[in-house]
Amino acid sequence: MFTLKSLVEDGELGLRVLVPGPDGALEEPVAWVHTTELSDPSLYVRPRELVLTNGLWSGRIAAAGFVANVRRAGAAGIVFGLRPELPATPDALVAACARAAMPLLEISAAVPFTALSEAVAARRTEERQSALAGMVRRGDALATAISQGSGASGVLRVLRRDHELPLVVVDRLGRPLAKAGAELDAGQLQAVAAGLARRPPPLEVELGPTGSTAGSATGSTADTTAGSATGSMPGRAALFLVGAVGDVDAALVCLRPLGELTAAEREALEQAARFLSLEVAKRQAVQAIELRFAGELLEMVLSGGSRAAEARGRLEAFGVDADGPLTVWALAFADGEATLPGLAEAAGEFFVSGGIPVVVAGGSRDVVAVLPWRGGDDGTAAGSERRRGERGQVTLAERLVAAVAERFPGRRPVVGLGGVASDSAGLREPLVRSREVCQALRRDGRGPAVRTFAGLSAYRLLLGTQDAGALRTLFGGVLAPMRELDARRGGELEATLRAFLEHDGHWAATAAALHVHVNTLRNRLAKVTELTGRDVTRTAGRVDLFLALQAADMS
């Protein structure tokens, strides 16, 4: 925008500075000009307008009062127009402006106010034309970036040609899609996602300084970053919403408060957000197609027969070698819902970042990944070679668990490994096994996060594949009488039974661990047998009691 200084430098206007105001006041932007002779023009003068006056109010109000009224309106300054009967600006007005730190300019009687108004109008027109030309130019560049496949990163590069702003594009799941001159940590990304989940989303979010893990919404990938610069950024960041198919799917985040952005910067950010909507819509369409094709692959594998033969072509479409060894993994959360939106994408990004071709299919029960595996096990290996291959899978799966846990704070991911098939024709068994192991791990919330089918205890697999109702029936009917007696009398029958089973039925070792006499132990276990109907001295009874206790722990 134009300034008082630019008007003074226009020789045709003949303006002279009488009171410059505070430091930098002459370089502040001016909104418009307002001609008035009212004693109190504050109701009509807008902030940052330049007040033009001949001083005809001087008979009705003192200069100090007039200046106070103009200052109250937030005006940019006063231009006093000389006239033949008043060839000099009144000293009282000069003194009042000096005391109020109000810029005061003087214009010759030979130059009419209309000349100043026309000069301001011309400057506003030039600014607007320049802004429109810049918007068109930037729009062409943004359209080119999108059409050439530069993605969100290309959009940010175009935007930063004109405005050196710290920017990050974050989707509604808290994933960074692109960044330029800024970096957000996991907590700050989640703060943006939380803001986008609100209805309506806020215009700003409180992120805290870079490196902080705290952030809250407030109501009011591969570019250069400036880590040291972002460390001193203000905690409040502006959000420019990115929508695809009528919903808010992401945000263009500028690591500056909204109030600190100029009108030109806000306009550029809003324009970029509109183009990002095209990129997000394209990205979502591609992901939807990939997930549908991946889901069809699982149906082909499970169906068997002629449909299973079609799996070969589907795998090759994803860049996976269908004729080499393949492994199947099942991923889910051990707590709460088995899957959440974004889990399949997070798994896919993990493999892609490691250069591993993969097919990832998401559902409500789990997320399944089919990937090539040549880590020492081709599906027919035996002995040490097979164990080495399994260890390699477990190590990679544990890295996947860590990556997913970072993306979904507070959730516990688990991965079931179904083994290796020699080629696509043998995928059905590893697929079924991986899902069974994953379900067992979900039930056993205290166990490891990654298990192979071979490494999972038979009883865990047996119990893990049962639904919650079946488990309650199993342990409820067996353990209920014993637990009721313990609750009524403050007994220790269940603790005694657990100790006996943990010590493999050794009477002396169990009694020593419980610090009781062997006869006391025998009496307690006789009561357990009476209440549960399972003889603890026989293998069949111990098996039933062990399974019941494990089922209780897993429910």
Side-chain angles (χ1 to χ4, degrees), residues 57-104:
W57 40 263
S58 59
R60 303 188 299 275
I61 189 173
F66 178 78
V67 171
N69 292 334
V70 172
R71 181 180 176 80
R72 186 168 64 253
I78 297 174
V79 175
F80 189 83
L82 301 179
R83 54 186 192 273
E85 63 273 22
L86 189 61
T89 301
D91 292 339
L93 180 58
V94 175
C97 286
R99 288 193 299 271
M102 170 67 66
L104 176 63

mmCIF file of all heavy atoms in Angstrom, residues 57-104:
data_model
loop_
_atom_site.group_PDB
_atom_site.id
_atom_site.type_symbol
_atom_site.label_atom_id
_atom_site.label_comp_id
_atom_site.label_asym_id
_atom_site.label_seq_id
_atom_site.Cartn_x
_atom_site.Cartn_y
_atom_site.Cartn_z
ATOM 1 N N TRP A 57 -13.000 24.561 10.795
ATOM 2 C CA TRP A 57 -13.559 24.220 12.103
ATOM 3 C C TRP A 57 -12.951 25.066 13.228
ATOM 4 O O TRP A 57 -13.370 24.992 14.381
ATOM 5 C CB TRP A 57 -13.243 22.744 12.423
ATOM 6 C CG TRP A 57 -11.854 22.329 12.016
ATOM 7 C CD1 TRP A 57 -11.502 21.706 10.879
ATOM 8 C CD2 TRP A 57 -10.638 22.585 12.741
ATOM 9 N NE1 TRP A 57 -10.141 21.524 10.812
ATOM 10 C CE2 TRP A 57 -9.585 22.059 11.958
ATOM 11 C CE3 TRP A 57 -10.331 23.210 13.952
ATOM 12 C CZ2 TRP A 57 -8.253 22.138 12.355
ATOM 13 C CZ3 TRP A 57 -9.009 23.282 14.347
ATOM 14 C CH2 TRP A 57 -7.985 22.759 13.552
ATOM 15 N N SER A 58 -11.920 25.834 12.911
ATOM 16 C CA SER A 58 -11.150 26.523 13.956
ATOM 17 C C SER A 58 -12.007 27.479 14.786
ATOM 18 O O SER A 58 -11.668 27.761 15.937
ATOM 19 C CB SER A 58 -9.970 27.287 13.336
ATOM 20 O OG SER A 58 -10.448 28.242 12.394
ATOM 21 N N GLY A 59 -13.118 27.972 14.242
ATOM 22 C CA GLY A 59 -13.975 28.862 15.010
ATOM 23 C C GLY A 59 -14.879 28.123 15.972
ATOM 24 O O GLY A 59 -15.490 28.732 16.865
ATOM 25 N N ARG A 60 -14.964 26.826 15.858
ATOM 26 C CA ARG A 60 -15.892 26.049 16.684
ATOM 27 C C ARG A 60 -15.186 25.178 17.720
ATOM 28 O O ARG A 60 -15.788 24.774 18.707
ATOM 29 C CB ARG A 60 -16.746 25.129 15.793
ATOM 30 C CG ARG A 60 -17.527 25.887 14.713
ATOM 31 C CD ARG A 60 -18.494 24.971 13.987
ATOM 32 N NE ARG A 60 -17.819 23.877 13.298
ATOM 33 C CZ ARG A 60 -17.299 23.960 12.080
ATOM 34 N NH1 ARG A 60 -17.363 25.121 11.410
ATOM 35 N NH2 ARG A 60 -16.705 22.927 11.518
ATOM 36 N N ILE A 61 -13.903 24.831 17.494
ATOM 37 C CA ILE A 61 -13.179 23.945 18.401
ATOM 38 C C ILE A 61 -11.702 24.307 18.361
ATOM 39 O O ILE A 61 -11.190 24.775 17.337
ATOM 40 C CB ILE A 61 -13.393 22.466 17.999
ATOM 41 C CG1 ILE A 61 -12.824 21.528 19.069
ATOM 42 C CG2 ILE A 61 -12.787 22.166 16.636
ATOM 43 C CD1 ILE A 61 -13.151 20.052 18.817
ATOM 44 N N ALA A 62 -11.040 24.102 19.460
ATOM 45 C CA ALA A 62 -9.604 24.378 19.503
ATOM 46 C C ALA A 62 -8.848 23.316 18.706
ATOM 47 O O ALA A 62 -9.329 22.200 18.506
ATOM 48 C CB ALA A 62 -9.117 24.380 20.951
ATOM 49 N N ALA A 63 -7.667 23.667 18.263
ATOM 50 C CA ALA A 63 -6.855 22.754 17.465
ATOM 51 C C ALA A 63 -6.577 21.452 18.214
ATOM 52 O O ALA A 63 -6.619 20.354 17.640
ATOM 53 C CB ALA A 63 -5.542 23.420 17.069
ATOM 54 N N ALA A 64 -6.302 21.549 19.533
ATOM 55 C CA ALA A 64 -6.016 20.356 20.314
ATOM 56 C C ALA A 64 -7.203 19.399 20.333
ATOM 57 O O ALA A 64 -7.047 18.173 20.276
ATOM 58 C CB ALA A 64 -5.621 20.741 21.736
ATOM 59 N N GLY A 65 -8.436 19.950 20.417
ATOM 60 C CA GLY A 65 -9.630 19.120 20.419
ATOM 61 C C GLY A 65 -9.830 18.426 19.082
ATOM 62 O O GLY A 65 -10.194 17.243 19.025
ATOM 63 N N PHE A 66 -9.588 19.172 17.999
ATOM 64 C CA PHE A 66 -9.741 18.579 16.665
ATOM 65 C C PHE A 66 -8.731 17.436 16.483
ATOM 66 O O PHE A 66 -9.084 16.350 15.999
ATOM 67 C CB PHE A 66 -9.534 19.656 15.594
ATOM 68 C CG PHE A 66 -9.616 19.123 14.189
ATOM 69 C CD1 PHE A 66 -10.835 18.855 13.592
ATOM 70 C CD2 PHE A 66 -8.451 18.852 13.466
ATOM 71 C CE1 PHE A 66 -10.902 18.345 12.297
ATOM 72 C CE2 PHE A 66 -8.512 18.347 12.175
ATOM 73 C CZ PHE A 66 -9.754 18.097 11.585
ATOM 74 N N VAL A 67 -7.503 17.672 16.879
ATOM 75 C CA VAL A 67 -6.470 16.649 16.731
ATOM 76 C C VAL A 67 -6.823 15.417 17.581
ATOM 77 O O VAL A 67 -6.633 14.271 17.151
ATOM 78 C CB VAL A 67 -5.092 17.210 17.121
ATOM 79 C CG1 VAL A 67 -4.045 16.097 17.181
ATOM 80 C CG2 VAL A 67 -4.662 18.287 16.135
ATOM 81 N N ALA A 68 -7.329 15.628 18.774
ATOM 82 C CA ALA A 68 -7.710 14.503 19.632
ATOM 83 C C ALA A 68 -8.806 13.664 18.983
ATOM 84 O O ALA A 68 -8.796 12.426 19.053
ATOM 85 C CB ALA A 68 -8.153 15.011 20.995
ATOM 86 N N ASN A 69 -9.776 14.321 18.351
ATOM 87 C CA ASN A 69 -10.857 13.602 17.679
ATOM 88 C C ASN A 69 -10.337 12.781 16.500
ATOM 89 O O ASN A 69 -10.756 11.635 16.282
ATOM 90 C CB ASN A 69 -11.922 14.585 17.200
ATOM 91 C CG ASN A 69 -12.663 15.232 18.359
ATOM 92 O OD1 ASN A 69 -12.752 14.665 19.454
ATOM 93 N ND2 ASN A 69 -13.186 16.434 18.137
ATOM 94 N N VAL A 70 -9.417 13.386 15.749
ATOM 95 C CA VAL A 70 -8.838 12.668 14.603
ATOM 96 C C VAL A 70 -8.015 11.468 15.089
ATOM 97 O O VAL A 70 -8.058 10.384 14.507
ATOM 98 C CB VAL A 70 -7.979 13.630 13.758
ATOM 99 C CG1 VAL A 70 -7.214 12.863 12.677
ATOM 100 C CG2 VAL A 70 -8.852 14.705 13.119
ATOM 101 N N ARG A 71 -7.270 11.679 16.165
ATOM 102 C CA ARG A 71 -6.454 10.595 16.705
ATOM 103 C C ARG A 71 -7.334 9.446 17.198
ATOM 104 O O ARG A 71 -6.995 8.269 17.031
ATOM 105 C CB ARG A 71 -5.577 11.128 17.840
ATOM 106 C CG ARG A 71 -4.672 10.072 18.467
ATOM 107 C CD ARG A 71 -3.840 10.674 19.587
ATOM 108 N NE ARG A 71 -3.041 9.657 20.250
ATOM 109 C CZ ARG A 71 -1.892 9.180 19.795
ATOM 110 N NH1 ARG A 71 -1.400 9.660 18.664
ATOM 111 N NH2 ARG A 71 -1.244 8.260 20.447
ATOM 112 N N ARG A 72 -8.465 9.796 17.815
ATOM 113 C CA ARG A 72 -9.373 8.763 18.321
ATOM 114 C C ARG A 72 -9.897 7.878 17.195
ATOM 115 O O ARG A 72 -10.186 6.694 17.384
ATOM 116 C CB ARG A 72 -10.533 9.427 19.067
ATOM 117 C CG ARG A 72 -11.457 8.405 19.757
ATOM 118 C CD ARG A 72 -12.424 9.067 20.721
ATOM 119 N NE ARG A 72 -13.347 9.968 20.029
ATOM 120 C CZ ARG A 72 -13.300 11.293 20.083
ATOM 121 N NH1 ARG A 72 -12.356 11.878 20.820
ATOM 122 N NH2 ARG A 72 -14.165 12.049 19.432
ATOM 123 N N ALA A 73 -10.024 8.423 16.014
ATOM 124 C CA ALA A 73 -10.508 7.650 14.864
ATOM 125 C C ALA A 73 -9.424 6.737 14.292
ATOM 126 O O ALA A 73 -9.716 5.896 13.435
ATOM 127 C CB ALA A 73 -11.006 8.598 13.778
ATOM 128 N N GLY A 74 -8.158 6.896 14.730
ATOM 129 C CA GLY A 74 -7.078 6.059 14.216
ATOM 130 C C GLY A 74 -6.574 6.498 12.865
ATOM 131 O O GLY A 74 -6.074 5.676 12.085
ATOM 132 N N ALA A 75 -6.673 7.800 12.563
ATOM 133 C CA ALA A 75 -6.257 8.314 11.259
ATOM 134 C C ALA A 75 -4.748 8.192 11.077
ATOM 135 O O ALA A 75 -3.981 8.126 12.044
ATOM 136 C CB ALA A 75 -6.678 9.770 11.106
ATOM 137 N N ALA A 76 -4.316 8.151 9.803
ATOM 138 C CA ALA A 76 -2.889 8.040 9.488
ATOM 139 C C ALA A 76 -2.172 9.370 9.653
ATOM 140 O O ALA A 76 -0.954 9.395 9.839
ATOM 141 C CB ALA A 76 -2.709 7.522 8.063
ATOM 142 N N GLY A 77 -2.907 10.487 9.583
ATOM 143 C CA GLY A 77 -2.293 11.803 9.713
ATOM 144 C C GLY A 77 -3.250 12.877 9.230
ATOM 145 O O GLY A 77 -4.397 12.608 8.855
ATOM 146 N N ILE A 78 -2.765 14.128 9.251
ATOM 147 C CA ILE A 78 -3.570 15.279 8.830
ATOM 148 C C ILE A 78 -2.799 16.032 7.751
ATOM 149 O O ILE A 78 -1.583 16.234 7.868
ATOM 150 C CB ILE A 78 -3.859 16.228 10.016
ATOM 151 C CG1 ILE A 78 -4.699 15.494 11.088
ATOM 152 C CG2 ILE A 78 -4.569 17.495 9.547
ATOM 153 C CD1 ILE A 78 -4.899 16.308 12.357
ATOM 154 N N VAL A 79 -3.524 16.427 6.703
ATOM 155 C CA VAL A 79 -2.968 17.324 5.674
ATOM 156 C C VAL A 79 -3.732 18.646 5.772
ATOM 157 O O VAL A 79 -4.950 18.674 5.595
ATOM 158 C CB VAL A 79 -3.113 16.727 4.262
ATOM 159 C CG1 VAL A 79 -2.636 17.734 3.217
ATOM 160 C CG2 VAL A 79 -2.314 15.430 4.146
ATOM 161 N N PHE A 80 -2.998 19.701 6.086
ATOM 162 C CA PHE A 80 -3.645 21.025 6.197
ATOM 163 C C PHE A 80 -3.453 21.763 4.884
ATOM 164 O O PHE A 80 -2.328 21.960 4.417
ATOM 165 C CB PHE A 80 -3.039 21.834 7.352
ATOM 166 C CG PHE A 80 -3.805 23.084 7.649
ATOM 167 C CD1 PHE A 80 -4.933 23.049 8.462
ATOM 168 C CD2 PHE A 80 -3.419 24.309 7.090
ATOM 169 C CE1 PHE A 80 -5.642 24.200 8.732
ATOM 170 C CE2 PHE A 80 -4.139 25.462 7.356
ATOM 171 C CZ PHE A 80 -5.262 25.405 8.181
ATOM 172 N N GLY A 81 -4.612 22.186 4.307
ATOM 173 C CA GLY A 81 -4.584 22.905 3.036
ATOM 174 C C GLY A 81 -4.562 24.416 3.257
ATOM 175 O O GLY A 81 -5.458 24.970 3.904
ATOM 176 N N LEU A 82 -3.512 25.058 2.767
ATOM 177 C CA LEU A 82 -3.418 26.521 2.877
ATOM 178 C C LEU A 82 -4.413 27.168 1.935
ATOM 179 O O LEU A 82 -4.824 26.608 0.925
ATOM 180 C CB LEU A 82 -1.994 26.965 2.540
ATOM 181 C CG LEU A 82 -0.870 26.387 3.421
ATOM 182 C CD1 LEU A 82 0.474 26.901 2.937
ATOM 183 C CD2 LEU A 82 -1.102 26.753 4.883
ATOM 184 N N ARG A 83 -4.822 28.399 2.272
ATOM 185 C CA ARG A 83 -5.708 29.190 1.428
ATOM 186 C C ARG A 83 -5.242 30.649 1.486
ATOM 187 O O ARG A 83 -4.474 31.017 2.389
ATOM 188 C CB ARG A 83 -7.162 29.046 1.874
ATOM 189 C CG ARG A 83 -7.446 29.344 3.315
ATOM 190 C CD ARG A 83 -8.903 29.009 3.634
ATOM 191 N NE ARG A 83 -9.332 29.538 4.928
ATOM 192 C CZ ARG A 83 -9.192 28.935 6.074
ATOM 193 N NH1 ARG A 83 -8.609 27.735 6.109
ATOM 194 N NH2 ARG A 83 -9.622 29.485 7.197
ATOM 195 N N PRO A 84 -5.686 31.483 0.530
ATOM 196 C CA PRO A 84 -5.146 32.857 0.459
ATOM 197 C C PRO A 84 -5.241 33.608 1.781
ATOM 198 O O PRO A 84 -4.302 34.317 2.164
ATOM 199 C CB PRO A 84 -6.001 33.508 -0.629
ATOM 200 C CG PRO A 84 -6.387 32.371 -1.517
ATOM 201 C CD PRO A 84 -6.598 31.222 -0.603
ATOM 202 N N GLU A 85 -6.347 33.445 2.503
ATOM 203 C CA GLU A 85 -6.503 34.178 3.752
ATOM 204 C C GLU A 85 -5.760 33.517 4.910
ATOM 205 O O GLU A 85 -5.697 34.077 6.015
ATOM 206 C CB GLU A 85 -7.982 34.332 4.109
ATOM 207 C CG GLU A 85 -8.738 33.043 4.365
ATOM 208 C CD GLU A 85 -9.309 32.439 3.084
ATOM 209 O OE1 GLU A 85 -8.791 32.748 1.975
ATOM 210 O OE2 GLU A 85 -10.274 31.648 3.191
ATOM 211 N N LEU A 86 -5.212 32.316 4.679
ATOM 212 C CA LEU A 86 -4.464 31.616 5.724
ATOM 213 C C LEU A 86 -3.223 30.998 5.067
ATOM 214 O O LEU A 86 -3.175 29.804 4.768
ATOM 215 C CB LEU A 86 -5.335 30.529 6.363
ATOM 216 C CG LEU A 86 -4.756 29.859 7.629
ATOM 217 C CD1 LEU A 86 -4.548 30.890 8.741
ATOM 218 C CD2 LEU A 86 -5.677 28.738 8.119
ATOM 219 N N PRO A 87 -2.184 31.812 4.819
ATOM 220 C CA PRO A 87 -1.017 31.359 4.050
ATOM 221 C C PRO A 87 -0.059 30.464 4.832
ATOM 222 O O PRO A 87 0.914 29.976 4.261
ATOM 223 C CB PRO A 87 -0.329 32.677 3.682
ATOM 224 C CG PRO A 87 -0.704 33.614 4.777
ATOM 225 C CD PRO A 87 -2.090 33.242 5.193
ATOM 226 N N ALA A 88 -0.298 30.205 6.125
ATOM 227 C CA ALA A 88 0.582 29.343 6.921
ATOM 228 C C ALA A 88 -0.271 28.484 7.859
ATOM 229 O O ALA A 88 -1.343 28.916 8.324
ATOM 230 C CB ALA A 88 1.564 30.172 7.742
ATOM 231 N N THR A 89 0.200 27.302 8.123
ATOM 232 C CA THR A 89 -0.511 26.399 9.045
ATOM 233 C C THR A 89 -0.462 26.985 10.449
ATOM 234 O O THR A 89 0.607 27.395 10.913
ATOM 235 C CB THR A 89 0.144 25.011 9.049
ATOM 236 O OG1 THR A 89 0.106 24.470 7.716
ATOM 237 C CG2 THR A 89 -0.583 24.055 9.989
ATOM 238 N N PRO A 90 -1.598 27.065 11.146
ATOM 239 C CA PRO A 90 -1.629 27.649 12.492
ATOM 240 C C PRO A 90 -0.656 26.955 13.441
ATOM 241 O O PRO A 90 -0.536 25.723 13.456
ATOM 242 C CB PRO A 90 -3.085 27.439 12.936
ATOM 243 C CG PRO A 90 -3.864 27.320 11.661
ATOM 244 C CD PRO A 90 -2.949 26.651 10.690
ATOM 245 N N ASP A 91 0.031 27.770 14.222
ATOM 246 C CA ASP A 91 0.988 27.218 15.177
ATOM 247 C C ASP A 91 0.309 26.301 16.185
ATOM 248 O O ASP A 91 0.904 25.304 16.640
ATOM 249 C CB ASP A 91 1.701 28.367 15.922
ATOM 250 C CG ASP A 91 2.605 29.164 14.993
ATOM 251 O OD1 ASP A 91 2.987 28.622 13.933
ATOM 252 O OD2 ASP A 91 2.907 30.325 15.327
ATOM 253 N N ALA A 92 -0.929 26.640 16.551
ATOM 254 C CA ALA A 92 -1.643 25.806 17.533
ATOM 255 C C ALA A 92 -1.856 24.388 17.003
ATOM 256 O O ALA A 92 -1.772 23.402 17.751
ATOM 257 C CB ALA A 92 -2.990 26.446 17.886
ATOM 258 N N LEU A 93 -2.131 24.288 15.706
ATOM 259 C CA LEU A 93 -2.348 22.971 15.120
ATOM 260 C C LEU A 93 -1.028 22.186 15.082
ATOM 261 O O LEU A 93 -0.998 20.983 15.384
ATOM 262 C CB LEU A 93 -2.921 23.097 13.711
ATOM 263 C CG LEU A 93 -3.208 21.778 12.974
ATOM 264 C CD1 LEU A 93 -4.190 20.918 13.758
ATOM 265 C CD2 LEU A 93 -3.723 22.043 11.560
ATOM 266 N N VAL A 94 0.048 22.877 14.736
ATOM 267 C CA VAL A 94 1.359 22.218 14.702
ATOM 268 C C VAL A 94 1.732 21.711 16.098
ATOM 269 O O VAL A 94 2.183 20.574 16.266
ATOM 270 C CB VAL A 94 2.436 23.188 14.175
ATOM 271 C CG1 VAL A 94 3.822 22.537 14.255
ATOM 272 C CG2 VAL A 94 2.115 23.604 12.740
ATOM 273 N N ALA A 95 1.505 22.566 17.100
ATOM 274 C CA ALA A 95 1.845 22.170 18.473
ATOM 275 C C ALA A 95 0.976 21.010 18.942
ATOM 276 O O ALA A 95 1.455 20.073 19.613
ATOM 277 C CB ALA A 95 1.693 23.366 19.404
ATOM 278 N N ALA A 96 -0.320 21.042 18.610
ATOM 279 C CA ALA A 96 -1.224 19.968 19.034
ATOM 280 C C ALA A 96 -0.839 18.642 18.389
ATOM 281 O O ALA A 96 -0.857 17.591 19.039
ATOM 282 C CB ALA A 96 -2.668 20.331 18.681
ATOM 283 N N CYS A 97 -0.470 18.666 17.125
ATOM 284 C CA CYS A 97 -0.057 17.432 16.443
ATOM 285 C C CYS A 97 1.249 16.900 17.034
ATOM 286 O O CYS A 97 1.434 15.693 17.181
ATOM 287 C CB CYS A 97 0.100 17.685 14.944
ATOM 288 S SG CYS A 97 -1.480 17.852 14.063
ATOM 289 N N ALA A 98 2.155 17.826 17.375
ATOM 290 C CA ALA A 98 3.429 17.390 17.970
ATOM 291 C C ALA A 98 3.185 16.704 19.308
ATOM 292 O O ALA A 98 3.793 15.664 19.607
ATOM 293 C CB ALA A 98 4.362 18.587 18.124
ATOM 294 N N ARG A 99 2.291 17.265 20.134
ATOM 295 C CA ARG A 99 1.998 16.662 21.431
ATOM 296 C C ARG A 99 1.301 15.306 21.275
ATOM 297 O O ARG A 99 1.518 14.379 22.059
ATOM 298 C CB ARG A 99 1.127 17.598 22.279
ATOM 299 C CG ARG A 99 1.853 18.822 22.806
ATOM 300 C CD ARG A 99 1.023 19.524 23.872
ATOM 301 N NE ARG A 99 -0.257 19.985 23.339
ATOM 302 C CZ ARG A 99 -0.470 21.170 22.775
ATOM 303 N NH1 ARG A 99 0.544 22.043 22.681
ATOM 304 N NH2 ARG A 99 -1.654 21.524 22.322
ATOM 305 N N ALA A 100 0.453 15.184 20.275
ATOM 306 C CA ALA A 100 -0.314 13.946 20.069
ATOM 307 C C ALA A 100 0.430 12.931 19.201
ATOM 308 O O ALA A 100 -0.093 11.843 18.946
ATOM 309 C CB ALA A 100 -1.665 14.278 19.433
ATOM 310 N N ALA A 101 1.650 13.273 18.756
ATOM 311 C CA ALA A 101 2.423 12.401 17.862
ATOM 312 C C ALA A 101 1.606 12.047 16.621
ATOM 313 O O ALA A 101 1.613 10.904 16.143
ATOM 314 C CB ALA A 101 2.866 11.143 18.590
ATOM 315 N N MET A 102 0.901 13.054 16.101
ATOM 316 C CA MET A 102 0.078 12.881 14.908
ATOM 317 C C MET A 102 0.803 13.497 13.713
ATOM 318 O O MET A 102 1.109 14.693 13.719
ATOM 319 C CB MET A 102 -1.282 13.563 15.101
ATOM 320 C CG MET A 102 -2.137 13.651 13.834
ATOM 321 S SD MET A 102 -2.713 12.056 13.239
ATOM 322 C CE MET A 102 -3.815 11.577 14.563
ATOM 323 N N PRO A 103 1.150 12.740 12.667
ATOM 324 C CA PRO A 103 1.805 13.308 11.496
ATOM 325 C C PRO A 103 0.980 14.458 10.898
ATOM 326 O O PRO A 103 -0.249 14.350 10.764
ATOM 327 C CB PRO A 103 1.907 12.135 10.531
ATOM 328 C CG PRO A 103 1.911 10.918 11.414
ATOM 329 C CD PRO A 103 0.998 11.272 12.544
ATOM 330 N N LEU A 104 1.647 15.552 10.568
ATOM 331 C CA LEU A 104 0.991 16.730 9.992
ATOM 332 C C LEU A 104 1.743 17.143 8.739
ATOM 333 O O LEU A 104 2.955 17.384 8.788
ATOM 334 C CB LEU A 104 0.955 17.874 10.996
ATOM 335 C CG LEU A 104 0.388 19.210 10.485
ATOM 336 C CD1 LEU A 104 -1.085 19.060 10.084
ATOM 337 C CD2 LEU A 104 0.539 20.302 11.555
#
